[in-house]
């Protein structure tokens, strides 16, 4: 069946016009004439049978239909460009691998180790995509992701990487010079608690374990990323409850101190996760087994190059 698709040129010209809200700026970006942009957009509107722009006093304004269509066309063009670049750059022996990761985990744990992955697999181009919300494999161009939480992602394969231990940390200037570490836990009543947006009950769990009642565990400035929490703690803005491995550098160089003698394990863990249908992708297997090894776990299989070809020795897993 023939697809109902307008020309790619018309879509490109429309997307640029929608982004700039100007035929002139779109023409400059695409190195064509303004009249060429106008003709293609008019042709697209005729094809769709509805207006995409309103032309008001020589200014462009997207119609509701045009606004919704622009977002979808932009995503379509981004995906087409990524697929084209992958085919142009690689012969299929390695390829491009899009890895989703949490921002601070990616910056502090993953990126410092990526040199080893690149040495092992120079023909795989690894692209990191960071966000704090869960990745949507169906809607986003993500092949494999680092997930913190529980192994309950339907249709995906999970492998546990590591747990974490949470410890309170603060800048040295928040403590008096004559304070001995660790200090009494009830001193926390006088501290500002720095909050992480995706861990709203973390302080509640620590305070309960410490036996410190009557503290407003939700009060205090709230931050979206652990990196921002770390910087706030270093700046002396308050007490932060952090995964120990994410602040190991600051603890070692003295920019942060652990003033209390209590740490607690997190209820959740870090996992590497990918859709079941990606299991047969060589680059996914290579990255999965590499990161499992890097985190101190046993790899699922063994990936290697034999006579110039990629080889995989291991089971095919589904729903693990």
């Amino acid at each position: 069946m023939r697809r109902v698709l307008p020309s790619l040129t018309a879509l490109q010209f429309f997307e640029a016009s929608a982004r700039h809200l100007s035929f002139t700026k779109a023409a400059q970006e695409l190195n064509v004439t303004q009249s060429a942009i106008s003709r293609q957009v008019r042709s697209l509107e005729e094809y769709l049978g509805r207006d995409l722009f309103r032309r008001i006093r020589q200014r462009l304004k997207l119609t509701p239909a045009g606004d919704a269509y622009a977002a979808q066309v932009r995503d379509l063009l981004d995906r087409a460009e990524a697929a084209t670049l992958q085919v142009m750059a690689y012969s299929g022996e390695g390829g491009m691998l899009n890895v989703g990761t949490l921002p601070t985990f990616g910056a502090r744990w993953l990126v410092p180790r990526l040199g080893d992955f690149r040495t092992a697999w120079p023909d795989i181009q690894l692209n990191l995509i960071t966000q704090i919300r869960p990745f949507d494999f169906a809607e986003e161009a993500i092949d494999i992701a680092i997930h913190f939480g529980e192994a309950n992602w339907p249709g995906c394969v999970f492998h546990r990487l590591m747990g974490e231990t949470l410890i309170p940390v603060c800048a040295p200037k928040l403590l008096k010079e004559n304070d001995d570490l660790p200090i009494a836990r009830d001193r926390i009543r006088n501290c500002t608690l720095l909050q992480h947006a995706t861990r709203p009950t973390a302080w509640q769990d620590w305070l309960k374990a410490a036996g410190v009642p009557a503290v407003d565990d939700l009060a205090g400035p709230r931050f979206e990323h652990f990196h921002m929490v770390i910087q706030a703690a270093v700046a002396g803005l308050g007490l932060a409850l952090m995964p120990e491995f994410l602040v190991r550098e600051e603890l070692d160089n003295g920019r942060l101190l652990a003033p209390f003698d209590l740490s607690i394990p997190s209820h959740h863990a870090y996992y590497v996760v990918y859709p079941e249908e990606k299991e047969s992708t060589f680059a996914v297997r290579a990255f999965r087994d590499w990161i499992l090894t890097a985190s101190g776990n046993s790899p699922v299989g063994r990936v290697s190059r034999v006579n110039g070809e990629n080889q995989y020795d291991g089971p095919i897993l589904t729903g693990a």
Side-chain angles (χ1 to χ4, degrees):
M1 181 182 297
R2 182 178 179 181
R3 294 182 182 274
V4 182
L5 291 173
S7 75
L8 181 59
T9 299
L11 293 177
Q12 288 180 291
F13 285 16
F14 163 67
E15 189 279 330
S17 301
R19 189 159 22 89
H20 293 294
L21 291 178
S22 167
F23 288 160
T24 300
K25 291 181 179 179
Q28 291 172 349
E29 176 184 311
L30 298 173
N31 196 27
V32 297
T33 65
Q34 180 180 344
S35 61
I37 296 286
S38 181
R39 284 196 304 271
Q40 288 290 337
V41 171
R42 188 176 301 110
S43 173
L44 181 60
E45 289 178 321
E46 292 173 355
Y47 183 88
L48 296 172
R50 61 183 60 206
D51 292 337
L52 299 174
F53 292 102
R54 290 193 181 96
R55 295 147 179 90
I56 304 173
R57 298 178 183 177
Q58 297 183 333
R59 295 179 58 190
L60 292 181
K61 181 182 176 71
L62 284 165
T63 65
D67 189 42
Y69 193 48
Q72 296 177 61
V73 168
R74 186 170 299 117
D75 180 66
L76 173 67
L77 293 175
D78 287 344
R79 288 171 179 260
E81 181 181 40
T84 301
L85 290 172
Q86 180 172 352
V87 172
M88 292 172 63
Y90 297 97
S91 62
E93 294 178 348
M96 185 181 296
L97 185 69
N98 294 327
V99 179
T101 183
L102 298 162
T104 310
F105 181 92
R108 297 224 160 197
W109 190 92
L110 182 57
V111 169
R113 293 167 170 79
L114 286 183
D116 294 337
F117 179 81
R118 184 169 178 80
T119 298
W121 300 107
D123 55 345
I124 297 177
Q125 178 178 316
L126 191 149
N127 303 320
L128 289 187
I129 300 159
T130 63
Q131 63 189 41
I132 59 171
R133 60 180 173 82
F135 292 96
D136 187 338
F137 289 113
E139 298 295 331
E140 300 174 87
I142 305 293
D143 300 304
I144 190 168
I146 310 303
H147 168 69
F148 179 80
E150 298 178 347
N152 58 357
W153 211 326
C156 292
V157 181
F158 282 81
H159 301 282
R160 190 179 189 277
L161 295 177
M162 65 184 78
E164 65 177 16
T165 300
L166 299 174
I167 60 169
V169 295
C170 69
K173 67 181 181 181
L174 287 190
L175 302 177
K176 295 180 180 179
E177 292 183 0
N178 61 354
D179 273 338
D180 294 324
L181 296 180
I183 65 177
R185 297 175 194 173
D186 59 6
R187 284 275 302 277
I188 200 171
R189 299 174 186 274
N190 302 321
C191 297
T192 298
L193 303 183
L194 303 178
Q195 307 286 339
H196 190 282
T198 65
R199 308 280 188 98
T201 65
W203 273 116
Q204 182 182 79
D205 294 338
W206 188 89
L207 291 167
K208 181 178 180 180
V212 181
V215 172
D216 188 349
D217 54 87
L218 297 178
R222 193 169 303 275
F223 302 89
E224 190 174 26
H225 297 161
F226 268 134
H227 175 73
M228 299 172 70
V229 179
I230 295 170
Q231 295 307 309
V234 169
L237 299 184
L239 194 68
L241 188 63
M242 292 295 305
E244 184 175 2
F245 78 97
L246 291 182
V247 289
R248 176 45 51 196
E249 179 181 346
E250 284 77 10
L251 291 171
D252 288 343
N253 62 28
R255 297 179 71 198
L256 289 176
L257 300 174
F260 302 100
D261 62 350
L262 176 68
S263 62
I264 62 171
S266 173
H267 298 307
H268 300 118
Y270 292 89
Y271 296 86
V272 59
V273 55
Y274 49 89
E276 292 176 356
E277 60 267 23
K278 295 282 187 178
E279 170 66 25
S280 60
T281 304
F282 183 85
V284 167
R285 294 172 177 172
F287 182 82
R288 174 202 64 197
D289 288 346
W290 169 81
I291 198 170
L292 283 171
T293 301
S295 60
N297 297 283
S298 298
V300 176
R302 184 172 62 89
V303 290
S304 59
R305 293 277 288 174
V306 178
N307 297 326
E309 295 184 359
N310 292 329
Q311 301 289 332
Y312 173 72
D313 177 18
I316 303 295
L317 302 178
T318 57

mmCIF file of all heavy atoms in Angstrom, residues 134-174:
data_model
loop_
_atom_site.group_PDB
_atom_site.id
_atom_site.type_symbol
_atom_site.label_atom_id
_atom_site.label_comp_id
_atom_site.label_asym_id
_atom_site.label_seq_id
_atom_site.Cartn_x
_atom_site.Cartn_y
_atom_site.Cartn_z
ATOM 1 N N PRO A 134 12.027 8.309 33.729
ATOM 2 C CA PRO A 134 12.272 7.027 33.054
ATOM 3 C C PRO A 134 12.244 7.177 31.541
ATOM 4 O O PRO A 134 11.467 7.962 30.986
ATOM 5 C CB PRO A 134 11.104 6.150 33.537
ATOM 6 C CG PRO A 134 10.687 6.754 34.834
ATOM 7 C CD PRO A 134 10.897 8.226 34.686
ATOM 8 N N PHE A 135 13.103 6.441 30.861
ATOM 9 C CA PHE A 135 13.160 6.476 29.408
ATOM 10 C C PHE A 135 12.005 5.683 28.824
ATOM 11 O O PHE A 135 11.548 4.692 29.407
ATOM 12 C CB PHE A 135 14.487 5.908 28.915
ATOM 13 C CG PHE A 135 15.673 6.761 29.264
ATOM 14 C CD1 PHE A 135 16.431 6.491 30.392
ATOM 15 C CD2 PHE A 135 16.029 7.838 28.475
ATOM 16 C CE1 PHE A 135 17.522 7.273 30.726
ATOM 17 C CE2 PHE A 135 17.111 8.628 28.798
ATOM 18 C CZ PHE A 135 17.864 8.350 29.921
ATOM 19 N N ASP A 136 11.535 6.140 27.678
ATOM 20 C CA ASP A 136 10.458 5.452 26.970
ATOM 21 C C ASP A 136 11.053 4.844 25.709
ATOM 22 O O ASP A 136 11.280 5.533 24.724
ATOM 23 C CB ASP A 136 9.347 6.442 26.616
ATOM 24 C CG ASP A 136 8.115 5.756 26.024
ATOM 25 O OD1 ASP A 136 8.249 4.628 25.515
ATOM 26 O OD2 ASP A 136 7.027 6.356 26.066
ATOM 27 N N PHE A 137 11.326 3.538 25.744
ATOM 28 C CA PHE A 137 11.969 2.888 24.604
ATOM 29 C C PHE A 137 11.096 2.942 23.355
ATOM 30 O O PHE A 137 11.607 2.942 22.241
ATOM 31 C CB PHE A 137 12.296 1.429 24.941
ATOM 32 C CG PHE A 137 13.419 1.271 25.924
ATOM 33 C CD1 PHE A 137 13.177 0.770 27.198
ATOM 34 C CD2 PHE A 137 14.711 1.613 25.585
ATOM 35 C CE1 PHE A 137 14.207 0.614 28.110
ATOM 36 C CE2 PHE A 137 15.754 1.458 26.493
ATOM 37 C CZ PHE A 137 15.501 0.966 27.754
ATOM 38 N N ALA A 138 9.784 2.986 23.538
ATOM 39 C CA ALA A 138 8.886 3.003 22.384
ATOM 40 C C ALA A 138 8.876 4.348 21.690
ATOM 41 O O ALA A 138 8.666 4.431 20.483
ATOM 42 C CB ALA A 138 7.464 2.631 22.826
ATOM 43 N N GLU A 139 9.120 5.432 22.439
ATOM 44 C CA GLU A 139 9.019 6.774 21.874
ATOM 45 C C GLU A 139 10.362 7.451 21.670
ATOM 46 O O GLU A 139 10.453 8.415 20.909
ATOM 47 C CB GLU A 139 8.142 7.648 22.784
ATOM 48 C CG GLU A 139 6.703 7.161 22.923
ATOM 49 C CD GLU A 139 5.943 7.237 21.626
ATOM 50 O OE1 GLU A 139 6.273 8.112 20.793
ATOM 51 O OE2 GLU A 139 5.031 6.401 21.409
ATOM 52 N N GLU A 140 11.408 6.993 22.354
ATOM 53 C CA GLU A 140 12.708 7.653 22.283
ATOM 54 C C GLU A 140 13.729 6.735 21.613
ATOM 55 O O GLU A 140 13.625 5.522 21.695
ATOM 56 C CB GLU A 140 13.181 8.040 23.690
ATOM 57 C CG GLU A 140 12.232 8.989 24.403
ATOM 58 C CD GLU A 140 12.649 9.236 25.843
ATOM 59 O OE1 GLU A 140 13.460 10.140 26.071
ATOM 60 O OE2 GLU A 140 12.159 8.525 26.732
ATOM 61 N N ALA A 141 14.707 7.358 20.981
ATOM 62 C CA ALA A 141 15.729 6.593 20.264
ATOM 63 C C ALA A 141 16.800 6.118 21.246
ATOM 64 O O ALA A 141 17.973 6.500 21.174
ATOM 65 C CB ALA A 141 16.348 7.452 19.164
ATOM 66 N N ILE A 142 16.390 5.263 22.188
ATOM 67 C CA ILE A 142 17.284 4.724 23.213
ATOM 68 C C ILE A 142 17.402 3.219 22.994
ATOM 69 O O ILE A 142 16.394 2.520 22.889
ATOM 70 C CB ILE A 142 16.748 5.004 24.630
ATOM 71 C CG1 ILE A 142 16.503 6.495 24.844
ATOM 72 C CG2 ILE A 142 17.708 4.452 25.679
ATOM 73 C CD1 ILE A 142 17.748 7.318 24.845
ATOM 74 N N ASP A 143 18.630 2.718 22.940
ATOM 75 C CA ASP A 143 18.851 1.282 22.762
ATOM 76 C C ASP A 143 18.966 0.543 24.096
ATOM 77 O O ASP A 143 18.508 -0.592 24.227
ATOM 78 C CB ASP A 143 20.132 1.051 21.948
ATOM 79 C CG ASP A 143 20.059 1.691 20.582
ATOM 80 O OD1 ASP A 143 19.106 1.381 19.839
ATOM 81 O OD2 ASP A 143 20.948 2.501 20.249
ATOM 82 N N ILE A 144 19.607 1.190 25.065
ATOM 83 C CA ILE A 144 19.876 0.562 26.356
ATOM 84 C C ILE A 144 20.005 1.680 27.375
ATOM 85 O O ILE A 144 20.405 2.788 27.032
ATOM 86 C CB ILE A 144 21.155 -0.306 26.287
ATOM 87 C CG1 ILE A 144 21.333 -1.159 27.544
ATOM 88 C CG2 ILE A 144 22.393 0.535 26.013
ATOM 89 C CD1 ILE A 144 22.419 -2.234 27.401
ATOM 90 N N ALA A 145 19.616 1.435 28.620
ATOM 91 C CA ALA A 145 19.585 2.520 29.594
ATOM 92 C C ALA A 145 20.051 2.048 30.958
ATOM 93 O O ALA A 145 20.000 0.857 31.282
ATOM 94 C CB ALA A 145 18.172 3.103 29.701
ATOM 95 N N ILE A 146 20.501 3.017 31.757
ATOM 96 C CA ILE A 146 20.795 2.796 33.169
ATOM 97 C C ILE A 146 19.578 3.271 33.960
ATOM 98 O O ILE A 146 19.180 4.426 33.853
ATOM 99 C CB ILE A 146 22.044 3.576 33.620
ATOM 100 C CG1 ILE A 146 23.217 3.320 32.669
ATOM 101 C CG2 ILE A 146 22.407 3.196 35.059
ATOM 102 C CD1 ILE A 146 23.594 1.874 32.517
ATOM 103 N N HIS A 147 18.995 2.373 34.720
ATOM 104 C CA HIS A 147 17.751 2.638 35.435
ATOM 105 C C HIS A 147 17.981 2.483 36.924
ATOM 106 O O HIS A 147 18.621 1.528 37.378
ATOM 107 C CB HIS A 147 16.673 1.658 34.953
ATOM 108 C CG HIS A 147 15.441 1.627 35.802
ATOM 109 N ND1 HIS A 147 14.556 2.673 35.866
ATOM 110 C CD2 HIS A 147 14.947 0.650 36.624
ATOM 111 C CE1 HIS A 147 13.567 2.351 36.691
ATOM 112 N NE2 HIS A 147 13.777 1.146 37.162
ATOM 113 N N PHE A 148 17.457 3.444 37.721
ATOM 114 C CA PHE A 148 17.490 3.312 39.173
ATOM 115 C C PHE A 148 16.068 3.091 39.661
ATOM 116 O O PHE A 148 15.163 3.862 39.341
ATOM 117 C CB PHE A 148 18.071 4.555 39.839
ATOM 118 C CG PHE A 148 18.089 4.459 41.342
ATOM 119 C CD1 PHE A 148 19.094 3.749 41.984
ATOM 120 C CD2 PHE A 148 17.097 5.047 42.106
ATOM 121 C CE1 PHE A 148 19.111 3.628 43.363
ATOM 122 C CE2 PHE A 148 17.097 4.938 43.479
ATOM 123 C CZ PHE A 148 18.112 4.229 44.120
ATOM 124 N N GLY A 149 15.864 2.035 40.408
ATOM 125 C CA GLY A 149 14.534 1.737 40.909
ATOM 126 C C GLY A 149 14.358 0.245 41.091
ATOM 127 O O GLY A 149 15.221 -0.427 41.658
ATOM 128 N N GLU A 150 13.251 -0.264 40.564
ATOM 129 C CA GLU A 150 12.957 -1.684 40.656
ATOM 130 C C GLU A 150 12.966 -2.307 39.265
ATOM 131 O O GLU A 150 12.802 -1.616 38.257
ATOM 132 C CB GLU A 150 11.583 -1.899 41.307
ATOM 133 C CG GLU A 150 11.486 -1.369 42.730
ATOM 134 C CD GLU A 150 10.102 -1.546 43.314
ATOM 135 O OE1 GLU A 150 9.176 -1.844 42.541
ATOM 136 O OE2 GLU A 150 9.957 -1.395 44.544
ATOM 137 N N ALA A 151 13.163 -3.609 39.203
ATOM 138 C CA ALA A 151 13.202 -4.328 37.923
ATOM 139 C C ALA A 151 11.780 -4.688 37.498
ATOM 140 O O ALA A 151 11.385 -5.851 37.506
ATOM 141 C CB ALA A 151 14.071 -5.577 38.047
ATOM 142 N N ASN A 152 11.020 -3.666 37.131
ATOM 143 C CA ASN A 152 9.604 -3.888 36.817
ATOM 144 C C ASN A 152 9.197 -3.185 35.527
ATOM 145 O O ASN A 152 8.101 -2.652 35.422
ATOM 146 C CB ASN A 152 8.726 -3.402 37.974
ATOM 147 C CG ASN A 152 8.933 -1.924 38.286
ATOM 148 O OD1 ASN A 152 9.772 -1.260 37.682
ATOM 149 N ND2 ASN A 152 8.159 -1.409 39.219
ATOM 150 N N TRP A 153 10.087 -3.181 34.528
ATOM 151 C CA TRP A 153 9.817 -2.531 33.255
ATOM 152 C C TRP A 153 9.275 -3.579 32.283
ATOM 153 O O TRP A 153 10.023 -4.425 31.804
ATOM 154 C CB TRP A 153 11.114 -1.935 32.712
ATOM 155 C CG TRP A 153 10.954 -0.702 31.898
ATOM 156 C CD1 TRP A 153 9.941 -0.382 31.062
ATOM 157 C CD2 TRP A 153 11.872 0.388 31.838
ATOM 158 N NE1 TRP A 153 10.153 0.829 30.476
ATOM 159 C CE2 TRP A 153 11.332 1.332 30.939
ATOM 160 C CE3 TRP A 153 13.096 0.655 32.442
ATOM 161 C CZ2 TRP A 153 11.973 2.518 30.625
ATOM 162 C CZ3 TRP A 153 13.733 1.838 32.146
ATOM 163 C CH2 TRP A 153 13.186 2.756 31.258
ATOM 164 N N PRO A 154 7.988 -3.555 31.967
ATOM 165 C CA PRO A 154 7.415 -4.595 31.090
ATOM 166 C C PRO A 154 8.089 -4.635 29.726
ATOM 167 O O PRO A 154 8.417 -3.606 29.147
ATOM 168 C CB PRO A 154 5.939 -4.173 30.963
ATOM 169 C CG PRO A 154 5.675 -3.315 32.156
ATOM 170 C CD PRO A 154 6.968 -2.604 32.436
ATOM 171 N N GLY A 155 8.302 -5.859 29.238
ATOM 172 C CA GLY A 155 8.871 -6.038 27.911
ATOM 173 C C GLY A 155 10.353 -5.773 27.820
ATOM 174 O O GLY A 155 10.891 -5.662 26.717
ATOM 175 N N CYS A 156 11.031 -5.666 28.971
ATOM 176 C CA CYS A 156 12.463 -5.351 28.980
ATOM 177 C C CYS A 156 13.253 -6.407 29.754
ATOM 178 O O CYS A 156 12.720 -7.148 30.570
ATOM 179 C CB CYS A 156 12.708 -3.971 29.606
ATOM 180 S SG CYS A 156 12.089 -2.601 28.618
ATOM 181 N N VAL A 157 14.538 -6.436 29.466
ATOM 182 C CA VAL A 157 15.481 -7.316 30.159
ATOM 183 C C VAL A 157 16.278 -6.468 31.150
ATOM 184 O O VAL A 157 16.764 -5.387 30.798
ATOM 185 C CB VAL A 157 16.432 -7.995 29.161
ATOM 186 C CG1 VAL A 157 17.397 -8.929 29.903
ATOM 187 C CG2 VAL A 157 15.643 -8.771 28.111
ATOM 188 N N PHE A 158 16.390 -6.922 32.392
ATOM 189 C CA PHE A 158 17.108 -6.212 33.451
ATOM 190 C C PHE A 158 18.329 -7.006 33.903
ATOM 191 O O PHE A 158 18.270 -8.228 34.002
ATOM 192 C CB PHE A 158 16.202 -6.025 34.678
ATOM 193 C CG PHE A 158 15.196 -4.933 34.559
ATOM 194 C CD1 PHE A 158 14.012 -5.134 33.874
ATOM 195 C CD2 PHE A 158 15.423 -3.697 35.133
ATOM 196 C CE1 PHE A 158 13.071 -4.141 33.766
ATOM 197 C CE2 PHE A 158 14.484 -2.688 35.031
ATOM 198 C CZ PHE A 158 13.311 -2.899 34.357
ATOM 199 N N HIS A 159 19.403 -6.280 34.230
ATOM 200 C CA HIS A 159 20.563 -6.878 34.894
ATOM 201 C C HIS A 159 21.009 -5.902 35.982
ATOM 202 O O HIS A 159 21.243 -4.723 35.708
ATOM 203 C CB HIS A 159 21.714 -7.126 33.916
ATOM 204 C CG HIS A 159 21.339 -8.028 32.781
ATOM 205 N ND1 HIS A 159 21.256 -9.393 32.919
ATOM 206 C CD2 HIS A 159 21.008 -7.755 31.498
ATOM 207 C CE1 HIS A 159 20.896 -9.929 31.761
ATOM 208 N NE2 HIS A 159 20.737 -8.956 30.893
ATOM 209 N N ARG A 160 21.108 -6.381 37.201
ATOM 210 C CA ARG A 160 21.476 -5.520 38.327
ATOM 211 C C ARG A 160 22.945 -5.121 38.238
ATOM 212 O O ARG A 160 23.823 -5.967 38.030
ATOM 213 C CB ARG A 160 21.212 -6.231 39.648
ATOM 214 C CG ARG A 160 21.327 -5.347 40.887
ATOM 215 C CD ARG A 160 21.006 -6.162 42.137
ATOM 216 N NE ARG A 160 20.891 -5.349 43.324
ATOM 217 C CZ ARG A 160 21.928 -4.942 44.073
ATOM 218 N NH1 ARG A 160 23.167 -5.322 43.738
ATOM 219 N NH2 ARG A 160 21.731 -4.202 45.144
ATOM 220 N N LEU A 161 23.199 -3.829 38.406
ATOM 221 C CA LEU A 161 24.569 -3.329 38.407
ATOM 222 C C LEU A 161 25.091 -3.177 39.836
ATOM 223 O O LEU A 161 26.142 -3.689 40.187
ATOM 224 C CB LEU A 161 24.647 -1.976 37.688
ATOM 225 C CG LEU A 161 24.319 -1.965 36.200
ATOM 226 C CD1 LEU A 161 24.376 -0.545 35.666
ATOM 227 C CD2 LEU A 161 25.283 -2.862 35.430
ATOM 228 N N MET A 162 24.350 -2.430 40.672
ATOM 229 C CA MET A 162 24.839 -2.160 42.027
ATOM 230 C C MET A 162 23.725 -1.554 42.865
ATOM 231 O O MET A 162 22.757 -0.991 42.338
ATOM 232 C CB MET A 162 26.021 -1.179 41.991
ATOM 233 C CG MET A 162 25.636 0.209 41.480
ATOM 234 S SD MET A 162 27.028 1.345 41.329
ATOM 235 C CE MET A 162 27.748 0.737 39.804
ATOM 236 N N GLY A 163 23.866 -1.687 44.163
ATOM 237 C CA GLY A 163 23.019 -0.949 45.081
ATOM 238 C C GLY A 163 23.717 0.336 45.472
ATOM 239 O O GLY A 163 24.699 0.753 44.841
ATOM 240 N N GLU A 164 23.242 0.975 46.530
ATOM 241 C CA GLU A 164 23.893 2.195 47.004
ATOM 242 C C GLU A 164 23.659 2.355 48.491
ATOM 243 O O GLU A 164 22.677 1.860 49.048
ATOM 244 C CB GLU A 164 23.390 3.428 46.250
ATOM 245 C CG GLU A 164 21.932 3.736 46.473
ATOM 246 C CD GLU A 164 21.455 5.006 45.780
ATOM 247 O OE1 GLU A 164 22.160 5.510 44.883
ATOM 248 O OE2 GLU A 164 20.361 5.500 46.136
ATOM 249 N N THR A 165 24.596 3.046 49.123
ATOM 250 C CA THR A 165 24.505 3.378 50.537
ATOM 251 C C THR A 165 24.390 4.886 50.675
ATOM 252 O O THR A 165 25.184 5.621 50.074
ATOM 253 C CB THR A 165 25.751 2.881 51.298
ATOM 254 O OG1 THR A 165 25.853 1.458 51.156
ATOM 255 C CG2 THR A 165 25.664 3.240 52.763
ATOM 256 N N LEU A 166 23.400 5.347 51.432
ATOM 257 C CA LEU A 166 23.152 6.777 51.587
ATOM 258 C C LEU A 166 23.794 7.288 52.874
ATOM 259 O O LEU A 166 23.620 6.698 53.951
ATOM 260 C CB LEU A 166 21.654 7.052 51.621
ATOM 261 C CG LEU A 166 20.868 6.647 50.365
ATOM 262 C CD1 LEU A 166 19.371 6.837 50.589
ATOM 263 C CD2 LEU A 166 21.330 7.437 49.156
ATOM 264 N N ILE A 167 24.527 8.403 52.771
ATOM 265 C CA ILE A 167 25.172 9.011 53.935
ATOM 266 C C ILE A 167 24.935 10.512 53.923
ATOM 267 O O ILE A 167 24.922 11.137 52.864
ATOM 268 C CB ILE A 167 26.689 8.732 53.968
ATOM 269 C CG1 ILE A 167 27.373 9.291 52.704
ATOM 270 C CG2 ILE A 167 26.996 7.261 54.137
ATOM 271 C CD1 ILE A 167 28.885 9.282 52.787
ATOM 272 N N PRO A 168 24.743 11.123 55.095
ATOM 273 C CA PRO A 168 24.662 12.574 55.168
ATOM 274 C C PRO A 168 26.060 13.186 54.999
ATOM 275 O O PRO A 168 27.042 12.676 55.564
ATOM 276 C CB PRO A 168 24.108 12.856 56.561
ATOM 277 C CG PRO A 168 23.603 11.541 57.055
ATOM 278 C CD PRO A 168 24.444 10.498 56.382
ATOM 279 N N VAL A 169 26.159 14.262 54.234
ATOM 280 C CA VAL A 169 27.434 14.952 54.037
ATOM 281 C C VAL A 169 27.197 16.456 54.110
ATOM 282 O O VAL A 169 26.088 16.934 53.862
ATOM 283 C CB VAL A 169 28.081 14.597 52.681
ATOM 284 C CG1 VAL A 169 28.471 13.131 52.618
ATOM 285 C CG2 VAL A 169 27.160 14.956 51.519
ATOM 286 N N CYS A 170 28.238 17.190 54.435
ATOM 287 C CA CYS A 170 28.150 18.650 54.473
ATOM 288 C C CYS A 170 29.531 19.248 54.287
ATOM 289 O O CYS A 170 30.545 18.560 54.368
ATOM 290 C CB CYS A 170 27.524 19.134 55.783
ATOM 291 S SG CYS A 170 28.563 18.860 57.242
ATOM 292 N N ALA A 171 29.562 20.554 54.055
ATOM 293 C CA ALA A 171 30.826 21.270 53.919
ATOM 294 C C ALA A 171 31.474 21.427 55.287
ATOM 295 O O ALA A 171 30.783 21.574 56.304
ATOM 296 C CB ALA A 171 30.578 22.631 53.283
ATOM 297 N N PRO A 172 32.796 21.409 55.363
ATOM 298 C CA PRO A 172 33.471 21.565 56.660
ATOM 299 C C PRO A 172 33.084 22.839 57.397
ATOM 300 O O PRO A 172 33.030 22.855 58.630
ATOM 301 C CB PRO A 172 34.964 21.587 56.269
ATOM 302 C CG PRO A 172 35.028 20.840 54.977
ATOM 303 C CD PRO A 172 33.751 21.156 54.269
ATOM 304 N N LYS A 173 32.769 23.912 56.648
ATOM 305 C CA LYS A 173 32.472 25.185 57.317
ATOM 306 C C LYS A 173 31.159 25.151 58.096
ATOM 307 O O LYS A 173 30.916 26.043 58.917
ATOM 308 C CB LYS A 173 32.446 26.323 56.306
ATOM 309 C CG LYS A 173 31.312 26.277 55.299
ATOM 310 C CD LYS A 173 31.427 27.469 54.343
ATOM 311 C CE LYS A 173 30.301 27.501 53.323
ATOM 312 N NZ LYS A 173 30.434 28.646 52.387
ATOM 313 N N LEU A 174 30.318 24.129 57.876
ATOM 314 C CA LEU A 174 29.094 24.015 58.663
ATOM 315 C C LEU A 174 29.345 23.467 60.053
ATOM 316 O O LEU A 174 28.471 23.527 60.912
ATOM 317 C CB LEU A 174 28.076 23.126 57.943
ATOM 318 C CG LEU A 174 27.389 23.703 56.705
ATOM 319 C CD1 LEU A 174 26.256 22.795 56.264
ATOM 320 C CD2 LEU A 174 26.860 25.107 56.969
#
